[in-house]
Amino acid sequence: MADAADLEFMRLALEEAKEAAAANEVPIGAVAVLRGRVIARARNRVEERHSVTAHAELELLRAVENELCDWRMEEVTFYVTKEPCPMCAGALVNARVKRIVYGLPDPRCGGCGGGLDVTGFSGQLWHPEVTGGVLAEDSGRLLRSFFRTGREKQKTEKGAIHVQNYQSESYIQRCNPLMKQVFGRTLEHWYRTGAWNRQFECYAKLDGPRMLAQVGVVHLTLLLGETKCQAIELNGVAVSPEVRGRGYARELLAHILQKYASTPAFLFANDTVLDFYPKFGFRRRRDLLPVAMEAFDHPDLVPNRLSPDEARPLLEQRLRLSTATDAEDGLPIALFHLYGDYAPHIYAIGKDLAVVARQQGTTLHISDLFGRREIDWETLLPQLPFRRIERIEFGFTPDRLGVSFHWEERQIDRNLFVRGNLNLPDPGTIPESLES
């Protein structure tokens, strides 16, 4: 019979297994214990990492190696919800773990005596102590539920809504062609940043390997003055041209808005779809442009351009840009811009600030400003490396800069739609760095 400590630590491993199931991974979890203390936890991440070696046990081995700064684990006990496979059992033997405690036995493919006895093989130089069957029924119930749900999903009719809330190579391979077809570019630059986290959900209609339509959802915590507001932003609304008119976008939007009926929502749209979104309860809202009539000419300043990789640490340390409208969790969207449309226009301002700006004639458009410290307009202005500027536009409300500005109607194809109780300042604007 398992002792109280084994039951306690296996329950923690089961929590990891449940996290795996929620991420659409085979629900196997593991924890590592040293002298009665949990030093690392892990779960199965095969689909997420697109790697056959991303089993829970191997993920845990890597975490323990980082914790101990050593590959030898003679005092470490591994708790795993299912009997390790031969690959993982061999790795645990090579790591010289003290003890392996597992939940559900695997009589066909287990590596601890179930299918093969890797841990007990006489030719091994190290033989960990093995205890099996701890909370086996709990682990088995979780696995059976997972595979039963998977079979039910396979039975759903063709064209069911597919939901993806973590980065997946197979999903990316389906999505990029649709994005290229509809918007003229893929999202590959953003996928490479690793910014797709649980803030992002994608809803799609699939036909085998083809993506017919998609709508993205971003969960954001907006900062509106002194108030925090949970909201969603819809983005990437795309339908393949050959299936337009079949109602796929309407079906996806209706599903999302029913799911988040009580959550305020907003989106940006071009001039061609002004009549579409009001059908779903969205209302068009004034989205004005902040403008400062400031003239300057800095012929002696040599521009110090930054690459997105060089600017990223500054972006990750950004301070709040505006007291009017900002977001406390907008970094993933800002990374989309940093590695995309911002990339050719990033300039260093000293050692700890960066500005994203582009000049067109005598107009300077400042899209973003970020870094480790705040700066006022009088300090920033002499450091802007541009010539013959007479007008400055801002991609955010520049109230924290202390610059004198006024509001103008936008001349670009950007229309803001809101739904629900989203009390944006009026006049005002949502920062360009939050536009997705």
Side-chain angles (χ1 to χ4, degrees):
M1 176 178 288
D3 61 24
D6 284 349
L7 293 172
E8 175 188 355
F9 294 129
M10 188 60 75
R11 289 190 184 100
L12 295 179
L14 281 165
E15 289 180 6
E16 292 296 314
K18 291 174 183 176
E19 287 286 329
N24 204 31
E25 300 273 5
V26 174
I28 299 174
V31 299
V33 176
L34 176 62
R35 303 185 189 95
R37 180 177 66 89
V38 175
I39 59 172
R41 304 166 65 135
R43 63 169 176 82
N44 190 18
R45 295 181 183 271
V46 170
E47 299 298 333
E48 176 184 335
R49 303 204 191 286
H50 318 295
S51 171
V52 71
T53 66
H55 287 196
E57 299 92 325
L58 299 187
E59 291 287 299
L60 188 62
L61 273 174
R62 297 182 187 101
V64 174
E65 287 172 346
N66 290 335
E67 178 70 22
L68 300 180
C69 298
D70 195 358
W71 63 268
R72 297 175 180 84
M73 304 178 191
E74 291 99 330
E75 298 300 318
V76 180
T77 297
F78 273 57
Y79 290 83
V80 190
T81 57
K82 176 183 167 296
E83 182 180 352
C85 70
M87 174 180 70
C88 294
L92 295 174
V93 168
N94 287 335
R96 301 181 182 178
V97 302
K98 177 182 180 180
R99 185 171 175 234
I100 301 171
V101 182
Y102 67 82
L104 185 69
D106 186 348
R108 291 192 304 166
C109 301
C112 299
L116 295 174
D117 192 8
V118 176
T119 52
F121 177 57
S122 59
Q124 296 282 9
L125 298 177
W126 184 268
H127 296 93
E129 179 186 346
V130 177
T131 302
V134 178
L135 296 181
E137 180 55 33
D138 296 73
S139 177
R141 190 181 306 114
L142 189 58
L143 283 160
R144 288 192 296 272
S145 174
F146 176 81
F147 288 113
R148 182 170 58 249
T149 301
R151 284 192 292 270
E152 291 301 319
K153 285 182 180 179
Q154 291 175 3
K155 294 177 184 177
T156 59
E157 60 179 320
K158 179 181 175 181
I161 294 175
H162 177 94
V163 183
Q164 189 80 17
N165 63 348
Y166 61 93
Q167 185 160 318
S168 160
E169 185 63 32
S170 62
Y171 190 88
I172 292 169
Q173 290 176 356
R174 288 174 169 145
C175 181
N176 270 339
L178 178 63
M179 295 296 107
K180 181 71 172 179
Q181 190 179 29
V182 175
F183 299 113
R185 60 175 177 170
T186 72
L187 305 185
E188 192 62 37
H189 73 280
W190 183 66
Y191 296 138
R192 290 198 305 270
T193 69
W196 186 340
N197 58 24
R198 290 306 178 91
Q199 285 178 247
F200 292 83
E201 298 172 346
C202 292
Y203 296 77
K205 303 284 286 186
L206 305 177
D207 181 10
R210 294 175 63 240
M211 183 176 290
L212 305 178
Q214 183 205 253
V215 178
V217 173
V218 186
H219 293 261
L220 288 171
T221 304
L222 295 179
L223 303 173
L224 307 176
E226 299 301 320
T227 303
K228 289 187 179 182
C229 174
Q230 302 299 319
I232 59 171
E233 180 180 10
L234 304 187
N235 63 82
V237 181
V239 179
S240 182
E242 62 262 30
V243 296
R244 285 176 185 165
R246 299 185 187 180
Y248 289 155
R250 288 181 174 85
E251 183 180 350
L252 293 173
L253 284 167
H255 176 84
I256 294 166
L257 296 173
Q258 181 181 19
K259 180 177 180 180
Y260 295 110
S262 61
T263 304
F266 69 99
L267 59 86
F268 294 94
N270 60 43
D271 292 340
T272 64
V273 289
L274 297 184
D275 296 330
F276 180 67
Y277 292 106
K279 299 174 182 178
F280 296 90
F282 283 93
R283 60 191 183 277
R284 194 176 176 189
R285 188 165 185 310
R286 287 206 312 165
D287 179 38
L288 301 178
L289 179 69
V291 176
M293 302 308 295
E294 293 269 1
F296 70 88
D297 185 9
H298 297 152
D300 298 328
L301 291 184
V302 178
N304 181 11
R305 292 182 183 271
L306 297 177
S307 69
D309 286 339
E310 291 171 326
R312 181 169 180 168
L314 295 175
L315 183 64
E316 291 172 342
Q317 299 175 63
R318 78 178 310 156
L319 302 175
R320 184 171 178 181
L321 194 58
S322 166
T323 59
T325 308
D326 208 338
E328 68 177 18
D329 47 9
L331 177 62
I333 307 176
L335 287 171
F336 172 82
H337 292 290
L338 187 73
Y339 285 85
D341 54 315
Y342 286 179
H345 310 289
I346 310 168
Y347 300 88
I349 302 296
K351 294 182 179 180
D352 49 9
L353 281 175
V355 64
V356 180
R358 66 198 77 185
Q359 181 173 355
Q360 185 173 14
T362 58
T363 296
L364 182 67
H365 186 90
I366 299 179
S367 297
D368 208 351
L369 177 68
F370 49 84
R372 304 184 183 98
R373 62 180 173 90
E374 291 189 1
I375 192 170
D376 58 44
W377 183 245
E378 290 186 1
T379 305
L380 175 63
L381 183 61
Q383 301 182 67
L384 294 174
F386 299 94
R387 299 209 57 196
R388 301 185 182 93
I389 299 298
E390 299 176 3
R391 165 190 166 93
I392 302 174
E393 301 173 348
F394 295 92
F396 54 92
T397 306
D399 55 311
R400 290 183 73 94
L401 291 178
V403 60
S404 178
F405 68 93
H406 64 275
W407 296 98
E408 294 185 7
E409 296 289 340
R410 291 183 179 270
Q411 301 301 313
I412 62 174
D413 190 14
R414 167 177 141 148
N415 302 284
L416 173 62
F417 286 88
V418 299
R419 185 178 189 270
N421 186 25
L422 191 57
N423 296 317
L424 298 173
D426 188 15
T429 186
I430 290 180
E432 291 176 11
S433 62
L434 297 181
E435 182 180 347
S436 66

